[in-house]
Amino acid sequence: MVDVIVIGTIGIDDIKTPFGDMKNLLGGSAVYASHAASFFAKAGMVSIAGEDLPVEHKELLEKKGICLKGVEFKGKNFRWAGSYEFDMNEAKTLETGLNSLLDFDPKLPDEYRNAKYVLLGNIDPTLQLKVIEQLREPELILLDTMNFWIDTKKDDLMKVIKKVDVLLLNDGEARQLFDTVSLVKCGQQALHLGPKYVIIKKGEHGALLFSDGKHFNAPGYPLEVLKDPTGCGDSFAGGFIGYIAKTKDISEPNLRKAIIYGSTIASFNAEDFSLEKQKQISIDDIENRFKEFREFREF
Ligand code: AMP
């Protein structure tokens, strides 16, 4: 039985940051998110990979206990190339090769259809919709996306937003989607569309949680070593939904905690390329950094 399901991409990434120029890294939204969720709960992945996915990438996911029953292997793997300047809050997409993603028609294994906690990670919104249609009684659906889908599939994305409980955007995406500079206005407009909660991430500067008449301002973690922010958004989302699945509590105060757990794993993720840092950390490391978050915002 899986506690949480995650739909998204399995990627082979080429990443350039001021700290390295790396090729053929394991990436993809479903990969980062399921790995992060697995610190708290049993995650099942819904995705498509190519037959060219290196075997060590698949083994890494299996070793983490991630269920791959919802993953199809077909054709050529999804590929993404991106680069970052010294301000690493914004990725520049150099190339997106959708490849096998173009043939993907997600069919949830029967046990996944009972999942209570669902992360619609960054992928084509028409595929996110297909997943929603197959769910039996979800308790909480979290939606993530990126500028690529806002540019190319905005109408479909709007349909998905209306069906989810929590919408997750970064500040740039929120401004692009709602055509205003004010993140407060973005939050309000997003809430009017249907979600009960809206989270706007501000890169290394933290995240805002908006709900009816309330808001929470989560701090960012002051990182000393930052090598590659790829996958931080996905790791945030995965850590968030994993913690909710573990605690089975969807109240606003618990969502605040889930945001700090998500931020904690995202901050570790940025310390190295691909999943290198996430592979090394334990739940104790996460708990210790969570405590630091508590301490440094007390006044
Ligand atoms: P993040 O840095 O959290 O936004 O996510 C980066 C990951 O998203 C990379 O590992 C990519 O493989 C993956 N990715 C890049 N572009 C897309 C896209 N258009 N749809 C889904 N996943 C993508």
Side-chain angles (χ1 to χ4, degrees):
M1 237 338 242
V2 294
D3 304 312
V4 48
I5 61 168
V6 177
I7 179 175
T9 50
I10 294 177
I12 301 180
D13 292 349
D14 294 341
I15 309 285
K16 193 172 175 190
T17 83
F19 306 100
D21 186 354
M22 314 292 274
K23 305 270 185 238
N24 297 318
L25 299 175
L26 174 60
S29 52
V31 167
Y32 283 108
S34 319
H35 199 278
S38 298
F39 286 103
F40 302 110
K42 176 86 180 168
M45 209 189 248
V46 181
S47 192
I48 189 162
E51 283 150 343
D52 53 339
L53 184 77
V55 66
E56 62 271 22
H57 289 351
K58 186 172 172 233
E59 281 168 4
L60 190 152
L61 302 173
E62 282 167 343
K63 206 168 141 211
K64 189 70 184 168
I66 298 166
C67 175
L68 301 182
K69 277 188 206 159
V71 179
E72 226 183 293
F73 287 82
K74 194 175 168 186
K76 207 166 160 248
N77 208 94
F78 168 74
R79 294 195 72 110
W80 182 69
S83 72
Y84 302 84
E85 304 291 335
F86 258 109
D87 173 2
M88 290 206 259
N89 278 327
E90 189 91 36
K92 189 168 161 217
T93 293
L94 304 174
E95 211 176 320
T96 302
L98 294 175
N99 300 331
S100 64
L101 206 56
L102 291 168
D103 297 326
F104 186 37
D105 185 14
K107 302 236 169 22
L108 301 193
D110 197 57
E111 60 177 296
Y112 283 28
R113 297 182 62 200
N114 295 322
K116 298 277 177 239
Y117 306 98
V118 178
L119 168 55
L120 304 175
N122 178 24
I123 200 165
D124 185 331
T126 56
L127 303 179
Q128 293 174 322
L129 269 179
K130 284 188 179 179
V131 168
I132 295 178
E133 282 158 11
Q134 295 172 61
L135 297 169
R136 294 201 173 104
E137 271 184 297
E139 292 262 337
L140 187 111
I141 305 180
L142 169 66
L143 168 65
D144 191 15
T145 191
M146 77 182 281
N147 51 5
F148 184 87
W149 304 114
I150 300 175
D151 289 336
T152 59
K153 299 245 171 141
K154 188 169 169 184
D155 291 348
D156 291 313
L157 180 61
M158 285 308 204
K159 282 187 207 152
V160 190
I161 292 176
K162 290 183 181 146
K163 291 179 186 283
V164 303
D165 304 287
V166 186
L167 171 63
L168 182 61
L169 294 167
N170 70 31
D171 42 7
E173 293 156 2
R175 291 187 173 111
Q176 183 187 357
L177 194 58
F178 296 106
D179 203 17
T180 166
V181 289
S182 160
L183 295 180
V184 177
K185 280 191 183 153
C186 292
Q188 285 162 352
Q189 287 191 44
L191 287 173
H192 276 123
L193 293 173
K196 212 166 155 215
Y197 299 99
V198 177
I199 301 171
I200 301 183
K201 296 168 290 167
K202 298 180 293 168
E204 62 183 323
H205 305 299
L208 299 166
L209 169 69
F210 295 99
S211 56
D212 193 18
K214 271 195 193 159
H215 93 264
F216 169 60
N217 194 341
Y221 184 80
L223 262 188
E224 215 174 305
V225 180
L226 198 164
K227 280 194 191 160
D228 173 22
T230 308
C232 285
D234 311 312
S235 305
F236 175 98
F240 177 94
I241 200 84
Y243 181 72
I244 297 284
K246 177 185 166 185
T247 52
K248 300 185 173 51
D249 174 356
I250 58 172
S251 66
E252 199 262 357
N254 202 49
L255 262 64
R256 293 184 182 210
K257 279 193 189 166
I259 286 180
I260 303 299
Y261 277 109
S263 306
T264 300
I265 301 178
S267 70
F268 278 118
N269 185 69
E271 290 183 32
D272 211 337
F273 285 87
S274 187
L275 291 162
E276 287 308 311
K277 186 69 189 189
Q278 275 204 50
K279 264 174 12 190
Q280 289 164 17
I281 57 170
S282 66
I283 189 68
D284 290 343
D285 297 317
I286 294 170
E287 292 296 354
N288 287 337
R289 193 167 279 188
F290 181 89
K291 275 194 211 121
E292 274 186 75
F293 263 98
R294 271 236 159 90
E295 283 158 16
F296 69 58
R297 73 163 310 151
E298 226 167 41
F299 59 88

